[in-house]
Amino acid sequence: MQDARPPAHITEFIQNVGLSEMPDPVIHQVGRLLLDLVGVGLGGARTRLSSIIRNHAARQFGGPLPMLFDDRTASASGAALAGGMTIDALDGHDGFNIAKGHVGCALMPSVLALMAEAGIDDGHAASEALIIGYELGARLGPILHDTAPDYHTSGAWMATAVAGVGARILGLDGDQTAHAMGIAEYHGPRSQMMRCIDHPTMVKDGSGWGAMAGVSAALLARDGFTGAPALTAGGHPLWEDLGRRWLILEQYIKPYPVCRWAQPPVEAVLALRDTHALTADQVVRIEIETFHECARLAMSRPANTEQAQYSTAYPCAVALVRGTISAADISDESLTDPEIRRLGATLIMSEADEANRVFPARRIARARLRLIDGRMVEGGWHEARWEPGDPPSDADLLEKFHALADPLVNDASELALACLTLPVTGDLGRLTRRLHRSIRPPG
């Protein structure tokens, strides 16, 4: 019978590595990513998607544990589901290029739910779990893509990562950890990412469902439920440098709340706008050359925020008109601006061999703008901002956070400090007291 356990060094890492063995930049980074996830989650809590899923969790996943950005309670699985989908409701959270997806969105609400389930009020332990989860998820994603014939959403591989982290939080032994990850990989969502790209809806990147499946798997393993081996948890070169190469430092952060694939075209358009001092009314056509997956973001006249977030034309048009893209710009209430709709309808997409060749490690695009006076202006290749090699400063992240949080909470500065300092202070209660309550209506 095949051994169900992952290789010993993976299990050892999951069960035993602590903050004392982690480099200072890694510890600082987890506070930064936590800050960003909380800000995006607050923005996401304003959406209809979040309202529906939190209502669902409260009704269908009854339990005593607090939910993010809500006064009600649910089970650990329900809280993870609602939190993951709330963060994913606003596509502004961190990601990992090689995984073509996102770790933090499913991970953070799962860690908080499992800590509450286990009765652990320790910010150092929570920080360790988050870091371990980033290291697991950032490897499991590319491995699944290498070994499965379809491109699956983040929820597919994050279910397995969440189960591994859950095993640590719940104090499971090596066999139980293996079973938790095996249950999660077997039962986790194998949702097809490009189906939602072509038909944007509330299912999005599967992160909430993966969070729910991973938490459930860890709890089932605690109770003695067994699972087939997790095929992605071992036997791949990406596991060889676990604990030496810290992939949490290689996550990108988004400046805008739209699909990462759309952000290189946005930067290309903004560069032409700034270089030539253009106003939106001077532009009669936008042309974008980019990679195949970006070209699939073809929604030019979005009818709701999900369609706006999975579009290239709409955010490029917003960028030309506004000079940036805010959460308000992609809300359901802001999709009828006539100038933005006019520009979005003009955009022509084409694939470029160079852009396809470097994807997914790099995502590049270039733009041409046809002007009302007949001129065509064009620029070079652009990547999205805030890639791992050129990350945002703490001040940049705080600016993004406050733009999202200030309209919705009274103590945004205290909340930001609680996120950034969690790995140092270990004060989890200071954070959760501010997260486990309803947001106030904007305005």
Side-chain angles (χ1 to χ4, degrees):
M1 180 177 178
Q2 182 179 353
D3 187 357
R5 286 196 185 204
H9 78 288
I10 299 177
T11 305
E12 172 71 16
F13 182 83
I14 292 171
Q15 291 182 321
N16 297 319
V17 71
L19 290 177
S20 63
E21 300 158 88
M22 298 172 178
D24 288 343
V26 168
I27 296 171
H28 182 62
Q29 178 76 336
V30 76
R32 286 162 46 88
L33 294 175
L34 178 60
L35 172 75
D36 195 59
L37 288 163
V38 169
V40 174
L42 282 165
R46 295 175 58 176
T47 64
R48 184 166 177 262
L49 187 167
S50 175
S51 177
I52 292 171
I53 201 64
R54 286 183 285 118
N55 288 340
H56 177 76
R59 290 195 302 261
Q60 304 299 330
F61 290 79
L65 304 182
M67 288 194 292
L68 290 175
F69 319 122
D70 204 297
D71 294 327
R72 294 168 294 178
T73 60
S75 66
S77 298
L81 168 69
M85 294 193 80
T86 290
I87 296 170
D88 209 15
L90 187 66
D91 203 351
H93 44 86
D94 63 69
F96 184 48
N97 283 337
I98 305 303
K100 297 186 289 186
H102 313 276
V103 176
C105 181
L107 177 65
M108 186 270 275
S110 300
V111 166
L112 294 182
L114 285 159
M115 296 286 289
E117 170 73 23
I120 301 172
D121 186 16
D122 181 351
H124 294 130
S127 299
E128 291 168 347
L130 288 167
I131 293 167
I132 291 165
Y134 272 98
E135 299 308 311
L136 297 180
R139 289 169 170 83
L140 288 162
I143 293 169
L144 181 59
H145 298 325
D146 282 351
T147 55
D150 209 343
Y151 169 24
H152 295 99
T153 66
S154 301
W157 39 274
M158 277 309 299
T160 311
V162 166
V165 170
R168 176 192 174 99
I169 294 170
L170 298 173
L172 305 190
D173 64 25
D175 284 334
Q176 291 172 307
T177 298
H179 285 302
M181 296 177 76
I183 296 164
E185 186 185 77
Y186 193 87
H187 282 157
R190 288 294 178 98
S191 35
Q192 298 161 312
M193 187 69 242
M194 297 310 295
R195 193 192 307 185
C196 188
I197 294 297
D198 293 338
H199 306 282
T201 65
M202 293 182 182
V203 297
K204 301 201 76 174
D205 197 28
S207 293
W209 218 260
M212 177 187 69
V215 169
S216 297
L219 295 171
L220 282 167
R222 182 181 66 177
D223 292 341
F225 199 91
T226 58
L231 301 181
T232 52
H236 192 282
L238 274 172
W239 291 114
E240 293 174 3
D241 57 8
L242 182 68
R244 299 192 308 274
R245 177 186 177 189
W246 295 90
L247 296 184
I248 191 173
L249 299 174
E250 300 181 31
Q251 309 298 301
Y252 64 72
I253 297 174
K254 293 182 182 180
Y256 313 117
V258 296
C259 181
R260 186 63 165 185
W261 297 346
Q263 299 200 20
V266 166
E267 297 301 343
V269 164
L270 284 173
L272 290 177
R273 178 184 188 270
D274 295 342
T275 299
H276 299 277
L278 298 174
T279 55
D281 59 355
Q282 295 176 271
V283 179
V284 296
R285 188 171 73 242
I286 308 168
E287 298 179 13
I288 298 293
E289 280 188 283
T290 188
F291 52 98
H292 169 80
E293 287 78 4
C294 178
R296 292 274 285 272
L297 297 169
M299 192 66 61
S300 62
R301 290 183 179 271
N304 53 55
T305 184
E306 287 78 35
Q307 293 180 0
Q309 292 175 58
Y310 282 158
S311 166
T312 296
Y314 183 78
C316 283
V318 171
L320 273 173
V321 173
R322 310 266 194 240
T324 189
I325 307 165
S326 70
D329 291 322
I330 52 91
S331 67
D332 288 346
E333 297 78 21
S334 302
L335 304 179
T336 57
D337 183 289
E339 183 68 347
I340 291 173
R341 290 177 69 84
R342 176 189 73 81
L343 282 168
T346 73
L347 189 139
I348 299 172
M349 299 280 288
S350 61
E351 291 184 38
D353 290 342
E354 173 64 11
N356 282 330
R357 184 183 66 80
V358 300
F359 180 81
R362 296 179 61 207
R363 294 94 182 275
I364 61 175
R366 59 187 175 190
R368 290 186 292 271
L369 301 179
R370 174 67 71 181
L371 305 184
I372 197 168
D373 62 9
R375 288 183 298 143
M376 178 75 84
V377 296
E378 57 185 290
W381 292 111
H382 287 265
E383 295 184 70
R385 284 196 296 137
W386 295 357
E387 284 287 296
D390 186 25
S393 66
D394 289 359
D396 290 329
L397 288 180
L398 283 166
E399 182 179 2
K400 176 185 173 182
F401 174 84
H402 280 288
L404 292 164
D406 285 353
L408 304 174
V409 296
N410 294 320
D411 54 355
S413 294
E414 281 298 311
L415 177 55
L417 190 62
C419 292
L420 287 170
T421 62
L422 181 69
V424 177
T425 66
D427 191 349
L428 185 60
R430 181 186 185 192
L431 174 64
T432 55
R433 284 192 297 273
R434 293 174 168 84
L435 294 182
H436 296 147
R437 63 190 188 196
S438 295
I439 62 172
R440 69 169 186 254

